[in-house]
Amino acid sequence: MSDAPALVCTGITKRFGSNTALDDASLRVEVAQIHALVGENGAGKSTLLGIVSGLLQPDAGTCSVFGTTANFSSPLDAVAAGIGVVHQHFLLADALTVAENVALGIRASPLGLRFDRRTAEKHVAELAQQTGLAIDPAARVADLPVGLRQRVEILKALGRGAKILLLDEPTAVLAPPEVATLFETLRGLRAAGRTIVVVTHKLDEVFALASATTVLRRGKTVFSGMLSDLTPATLAEKMIGRALPTTPVATQSVSPNTAPVLSVRNLRLPGVLDIDQLEIRPGEILGIAGVEGNGQEELAAAIAGTLPHPLDSSAAIDMRSQPLAALSVKSRSDAGLAYIPSDRHHEGLVLDFSLSENLFARKQLTRNFASVAILDHAAMTSRGAELLRDYGAVPPEPDLPARSLSGGNQQKVVIARELSCAPALIVACNPTRGLDVGATGDVHQRLLTAAREQQAGVLLISSDLDEILLLSDRVSVLYRGKIKEVGPRGVAKEAVGRAMVGA
């Protein structure tokens, strides 16, 4: 028993209607190992995690935990077997404290039958000290930055006795310093004997953190072994089934005398934004780096028209010399503005709508898809299928609800909607978050094509510093709501990193 692997899954098959998400897939994870589960968007990673965590039941196949056959009928069974999950989209009650969130769902615990706040906070403080996850047990979750919220999720799992931690895209919303802290934490947990399975698309993180990997492609396990036998290039090839294409980046020369496609003046929100001037010219990609929470989302929302706060009367946001302040979100879209929001679930999609309905949101009543205000569903379905295939969304079935797709494929739907109409201005917030290496390269190429060939202006806001440095013609940093231009393409990564922390 002591020599048994921590987790073994064999012959796992799972179907959703006509879609086979997993096809005889397998996974083997050793005790006290950090194991990376990788693959393209829609390869079946989240489905496999769902089966291991008891959220889903397989149509065929078996799993065992520490040598004992596991037939989980619910997540509670998985928790009882020592499995804990940290989801990509945190499942926390924002109005409650850290201790209250950790206590939720614990049946038999040191907390007793009745909730005792003092005992709960003491329990969480002790757990935090044991694991190195320092946090204030009395802090309200809504007041915590994203990195600390993730700690709460990990503490929740550990507080329920997790010996195997499953983490789904754990760095997707973290800044570089927070990623380093998370990796240090995970290495400490491994040293203490816990087993960790990490789902990620970032190959540099795979090699920095894990010792072994399993690769899924189209629902099948195509590789399982040690990372020492691979390079990032060979791992990427196994993930996408072909050599990873390079993204050629041509330097763009933009005349300062060209009229800007976007002009922002005196954009101020007390305690959030304090921007005197920001301009983007046609064909130019302006990259804005920064630790999340420094005003990036508010800047994008102000331009896109989704900001819930009124702007100061002196603020001016013009697109091709047209004031945007009085225009609705739809009118801004009709005028040529494309907006890829950072949060695809709350801003980018209506999850219960079909893919075709999401693809043509704000465009339904155009002559292409309606006649006398009656929707032409056949036209929407036909064009939707074309776009889904063109942008690589899996499965390319326009009648499916958006909720049924993986996070990465949902992102492809958002990008297809926004970039397929030849926009004049693209506001892209973390456009490749959750995308695999192949899809990331495709999005990069589409942004470059929009700028270089269609002369669109691109405002690229990203927490991925490598993405900013790769694509941007000019690099700026947003720090505590203020814009600081760092330099043109080729600026040193260290210089941008220093500006990100206010140096």
Side-chain angles (χ1 to χ4, degrees):
M1 182 70 71
S2 60
D3 295 331
L7 176 65
V8 176
C9 296
T10 306
I12 302 296
T13 297
K14 181 65 180 178
R15 300 180 183 88
F16 298 96
S18 61
N19 179 40
T20 301
L22 290 171
D23 185 3
D24 195 31
S26 61
L27 174 68
R28 179 188 175 102
V29 183
E30 303 297 334
V31 174
Q33 181 183 70
I34 300 181
H35 193 103
L37 179 61
V38 301
E40 286 187 288
N41 298 125
K45 305 181 298 299
S46 295
T47 301
L48 185 54
L49 284 193
I51 288 170
V52 173
S53 62
L55 286 168
L56 301 169
Q57 283 70 52
D59 297 322
T62 60
C63 292
S64 65
V65 178
F66 298 111
T68 301
T69 300
N71 296 311
F72 300 147
S73 60
S74 74
L76 287 176
D77 293 340
V79 170
I83 292 175
V85 185
V86 178
H87 296 276
Q88 179 179 352
H89 300 282
F90 304 150
L91 303 179
L92 298 172
D94 288 353
L96 301 183
T97 67
V98 171
E100 289 166 341
N101 270 276
V102 173
L104 284 173
I106 298 180
R107 291 184 170 181
S109 74
L111 306 182
L113 296 177
R114 295 181 59 189
F115 180 73
D116 182 324
R117 185 179 307 278
R118 182 175 299 178
T119 302
E121 291 178 357
K122 179 181 178 183
H123 171 65
V124 171
E126 291 172 351
L127 184 62
Q129 184 176 20
Q130 293 166 7
T131 58
L133 293 164
I135 199 166
D136 178 7
R140 194 169 68 110
V141 166
D143 299 329
L144 297 177
V146 65
L148 291 184
R149 292 189 187 201
Q150 189 175 67
R151 289 190 184 188
V152 180
E153 284 282 18
I154 296 174
L155 285 171
K156 273 176 55 180
L158 298 177
R160 297 171 190 179
K163 297 177 182 177
I164 301 174
L165 272 179
L166 313 177
L167 295 97
D168 189 6
E169 297 289 352
T171 66
V173 295
L174 301 183
E178 294 172 319
V179 171
T181 300
L182 172 64
F183 283 10
E184 184 179 348
T185 296
L186 295 180
R187 294 186 187 106
L189 292 173
R190 177 197 59 193
R194 288 184 170 86
T195 302
I196 298 164
V197 179
V198 178
V199 172
T200 181
H201 292 111
K202 300 179 180 179
L203 299 189
D204 56 337
E205 294 181 358
V206 170
F207 283 88
L209 182 63
S211 59
T213 187
T214 294
V215 181
L216 294 179
R217 190 166 73 238
R218 297 180 183 176
K220 295 179 178 291
T221 299
V222 297
F223 178 82
S224 184
M226 302 304 292
L227 280 163
S228 56
D229 299 329
L230 300 172
T231 66
T234 57
L235 178 57
E237 188 171 347
K238 292 181 183 300
M239 289 170 60
I240 65 177
R242 62 187 188 278
L244 186 65
T246 59
T247 302
V249 180
T251 301
Q252 180 78 327
S253 178
V254 178
S255 169
N257 297 322
T258 305
V261 67
L262 174 69
S263 175
V264 176
R265 298 282 190 279
N266 302 319
L267 181 56
R268 310 195 198 286
L269 285 174
V272 180
L273 287 175
D274 186 7
I275 297 176
D276 293 325
Q277 178 178 327
L278 182 153
E279 288 186 342
I280 302 175
R281 287 173 168 74
E284 183 179 39
I285 301 177
L286 171 62
I288 295 186
V291 178
E292 290 202 13
N294 277 275
Q296 294 96 321
E297 291 190 9
E298 290 82 0
L299 170 60
I303 297 169
T306 61
L307 190 69
H309 314 291
L311 295 174
D312 185 273
S313 59
S314 64
I317 303 175
D318 298 336
M319 185 175 74
R320 294 193 289 195
S321 301
Q322 179 182 13
L324 296 182
L327 297 185
S328 65
V329 173
K330 182 182 184 305
S331 296
R332 297 182 196 210
S333 175
D334 292 342
L337 191 153
Y339 178 40
I340 302 170
S342 185
D343 188 337
R344 55 180 167 262
H345 280 181
H346 291 94
E347 292 186 80
L349 297 166
V350 181
L351 294 177
D352 291 324
F353 281 16
S354 71
L355 299 181
S356 61
E357 288 169 331
N358 274 285
L359 282 168
F360 304 114
R362 302 191 303 269
K363 303 292 184 184
Q364 302 99 318
L365 299 183
T366 62
R367 63 182 179 182
N368 293 326
F369 304 116
S371 176
V372 195
I374 298 175
L375 294 181
D376 187 342
H377 289 285
M380 291 171 62
T381 298
S382 176
R383 176 57 177 153
E386 291 177 8
L387 284 176
L388 293 173
R389 287 192 296 269
D390 187 28
Y391 282 77
V394 179
E397 299 178 18
D399 291 331
L400 287 176
R403 187 182 299 280
S404 66
L405 269 63
S406 68
N409 281 293
Q410 290 173 347
Q411 185 74 352
K412 292 179 184 179
V413 174
V414 175
I415 290 169
R417 180 185 66 225
E418 299 301 321
L419 298 190
S420 61
C421 298
L425 173 65
I426 301 168
V427 179
C429 298
N430 292 304
T432 61
R433 177 175 286 171
L435 296 186
D436 59 62
V437 289
T440 293
D442 181 57
V443 171
H444 287 171
Q445 188 58 60
R446 289 181 185 276
L447 290 174
L448 286 165
T449 298
R452 302 300 187 248
E453 298 179 13
Q454 301 167 13
Q455 289 297 291
V458 180
L459 177 62
L460 174 64
I461 301 173
S462 178
S463 57
D464 186 338
L465 188 50
D466 290 330
E467 182 170 68
I468 291 286
L469 295 174
L470 173 67
L471 298 178
S472 304
D473 298 305
R474 288 187 293 127
V475 178
S476 293
V477 164
L478 195 57
Y479 178 70
R480 294 184 179 178
K482 291 180 176 292
I483 286 278
K484 177 182 179 181
E485 184 157 339
V486 183
R489 178 186 304 281
V491 65
K493 188 174 185 177
E494 294 75 17
V496 183
R498 287 194 298 270
M500 289 172 64
V501 295

